[in-house]
Amino acid sequence: MRKYIVMGVQGSGKGTQAKLLADALDLEHISVGDDFRWNVEHHTKLGAQVRRSVAGGELVSDDLVEKVVQRRNEHDWNYGFIDVCGGQLVARADDSPEAVRARLRDSHAKTLPVLELFRAKEVVLEVDANQPAGAVQDEIRKRLGV
């Protein structure tokens, strides 16, 4: 069984690349961010906890991530869905430059130990995401040999 983890800071395109790779390899795409948004939009208790973290400009705690992922199988989106809301795009309160800098610092601090663990046990490929999405996807597939 093939398992891939796509990591990157917020807005780096990891969701786009994961979806493209999942489609190409006929794999299930699991997005923790989508799971967060579902819980927030459906006013679950977990969604309230996620909302508080995000509103405070913080990353969601590892414990809360684990809870959200564990509960993922309780929802009917495992059978697929299309979520077209037609709403207006607006800036979030947690998109201020200060909040973004704080999230990036926190993200790097929490991600580095995970990457070091993966480097010791698994194959880690780093890809430059500062190019068009198609070029990034081509590089990912080439480096994975798929």
Side-chain angles (χ1 to χ4, degrees), residues 19-144:
K19 287 175 189 172
L20 291 169
L21 193 60
D23 289 346
L25 300 177
D26 194 30
L27 299 172
E28 182 67 25
H29 173 237
I30 298 171
S31 168
V32 175
D34 288 347
D35 294 353
F36 287 159
R37 285 182 282 280
W38 187 94
N39 278 278
V40 169
E41 290 168 9
H42 289 85
H43 305 284
T44 68
K45 288 181 183 179
L46 290 174
Q49 292 175 292
V50 169
R51 186 187 314 265
R52 279 193 297 276
S53 293
V54 171
E58 302 170 356
L59 294 177
V60 177
S61 71
D62 292 343
D63 290 339
L64 188 53
V65 170
E66 186 176 341
K67 287 178 188 175
V68 170
V69 172
Q70 285 175 344
R71 297 206 47 203
R72 180 179 191 272
N73 291 329
E74 296 176 15
H75 305 290
D76 62 357
W77 61 31
N78 290 312
Y79 305 103
F81 68 89
I82 299 174
D83 186 13
V84 178
C85 70
Q88 181 180 3
L89 181 62
V90 296
R92 301 181 331 193
D94 66 326
D95 281 341
S96 71
E98 298 80 24
V100 170
R101 279 192 290 275
R103 284 198 315 268
L104 287 173
R105 276 193 307 272
D106 197 24
S107 177
H108 289 300
K110 289 183 177 182
T111 302
L112 185 59
V114 175
L115 283 173
E116 292 304 321
L117 178 67
F118 283 155
R119 282 187 181 106
K121 295 184 174 198
E122 305 289 339
V123 174
V124 173
L125 304 175
E126 293 186 28
V127 178
D128 178 9
N130 289 316
Q131 51 187 333
V136 174
Q137 185 64 198
D138 291 344
E139 185 176 345
I140 291 170
R141 290 182 193 184
K142 178 181 174 186
R143 298 197 53 207
L144 288 175

